[in-house]
Amino acid sequence: GNSVTQMEGPVTLSEEAFLTINCTYTATGYPSLFWYVQYPGEGLQLLLKATKADDKGSNKGFEATYRKETTSFHLEKGSVQVSDSAVYFCALSDNRGAQKLVFGQGTRLTINP
Amino acid sequence: GAVVSQHPSWVICKSGTSVKIECRSLDFQATTMFWYRQFPKQSLMLMATSNEGSKATYEQGVEKDKFLINHASLTLSTLTVTSAHPEDSSFYICSARDVGERQFFGPGTRLTVL
């Protein structure tokens, strides 16, 4: 079945540091890939997505490129801020039927000033 | 952006009682809603897909008689945990899908069964 594996946290960085959160997936067919963010006390919010190979999703300074050859969708940001502290979830949708989402285990990110 | 609410945000109940959790899409209609369960430091696990006006579709291993789902309108789905036991303690999250097939998540409900 479909699955998503992301790097274990927690991750702690200083402000303005470079961020990478790794995500790899296993899926049949051609899934869509997503990064969701969960700020404290709030629901998951879509951060960015990519629907086909080599697509790059970007939002709020975050980027991730859909790499079919390595089945990866790593999240990157060049200079993190304290306000980026949150839990980040990588997910995929198989684009069939109900388009159910399969999530990775989440990575807690803490940015220190 | 679209807003999904859940009520209650947290609930504590005695073992053997039933608990109902509501999920509402506040500013859009959702023909499909999803219910997830999240254990501490673990991923969200899809429990069931709820379609307005029809029976929910449960994922493998989820007891439909224990987790009753009702999607009575285009803005409301409910999850009832029947005869709750301590092992049902968890964080329950719903999401609602709009006509553009985007999913919006509720803030979650923390259930503690004593």
Side-chain angles (χ1 to χ4, degrees):
Chain A
N2 298 338
S3 67
V4 175
T5 302
Q6 57 182 108
M7 67 186 287
E8 292 210 20
V11 174
T12 302
L13 296 173
S14 297
E15 205 166 20
E16 299 184 3
F18 183 86
L19 168 70
T20 300
I21 301 178
N22 290 337
C23 171
T24 57
Y25 68 91
T26 301
T28 54
Y30 304 95
S32 293
L33 302 174
F34 307 84
W35 276 100
Y36 282 86
V37 58
Q38 186 176 31
Y39 297 105
E42 299 183 18
L44 274 75
Q45 302 173 25
L46 179 64
L47 179 61
L48 53 84
K49 69 175 184 179
T51 58
K52 61 182 186 297
D54 299 327
D55 268 2
K56 178 186 284 188
S58 61
N59 185 24
K60 299 181 180 180
F62 290 90
E63 293 183 339
T65 301
Y66 189 144
R67 301 285 188 200
K68 194 170 190 301
E69 64 275 14
T70 54
T71 62
S72 66
F73 193 55
H74 304 322
L75 182 68
E76 296 182 336
K77 186 173 185 180
S79 177
V80 293
Q81 306 300 314
V82 172
S83 57
D84 294 327
S85 298
V87 181
Y88 292 81
F89 292 90
C90 185
L92 70 79
S93 168
D94 61 9
N95 293 323
R96 293 181 296 181
Q99 300 190 15
K100 297 180 288 189
L101 289 168
V102 175
F103 287 89
Q105 68 267 40
T107 301
R108 182 174 297 277
L109 174 67
T110 301
I111 307 300
N112 294 320
Chain B
V3 178
V4 175
S5 70
Q6 284 185 238
H7 179 79
S9 55
W10 58 271
V11 57
I12 301 172
C13 69
K14 292 182 179 180
S15 186
T17 60
S18 294
V19 175
K20 179 185 285 187
I21 302 170
E22 293 185 347
C23 176
R24 294 182 185 271
S25 55
L26 298 183
D27 51 1
F28 66 100
Q29 293 183 332
T31 56
T32 302
M33 290 184 173
F34 301 89
W35 286 96
Y36 297 85
R37 183 172 179 177
Q38 184 180 26
F39 292 99
K41 299 184 179 181
Q42 293 189 29
S43 180
L44 283 74
M45 301 299 296
L46 180 65
M47 298 174 66
T49 303
S50 168
N51 294 298
E52 187 266 337
S54 64
K55 290 183 178 180
T57 302
Y58 290 82
E59 295 299 300
Q60 192 172 8
V62 178
E63 298 175 59
K64 62 179 67 175
D65 293 330
K66 180 165 188 63
F67 299 99
L68 300 178
I69 291 172
N70 185 289
H71 194 156
S73 76
L74 288 172
T75 59
L76 173 65
S77 176
T78 60
L79 168 68
T80 301
V81 183
T82 62
S83 187
H85 288 91
E87 59 266 29
D88 299 323
S89 298
S90 192
F91 198 56
Y92 292 89
I93 299 172
C94 75
S95 70
R97 193 167 71 193
D98 69 3
V99 293
E101 299 187 339
R102 297 171 298 178
Q103 277 195 45
F104 300 94
F105 287 79
T109 297
R110 183 165 300 285
L111 170 64
T112 301
V113 184
L114 302 177

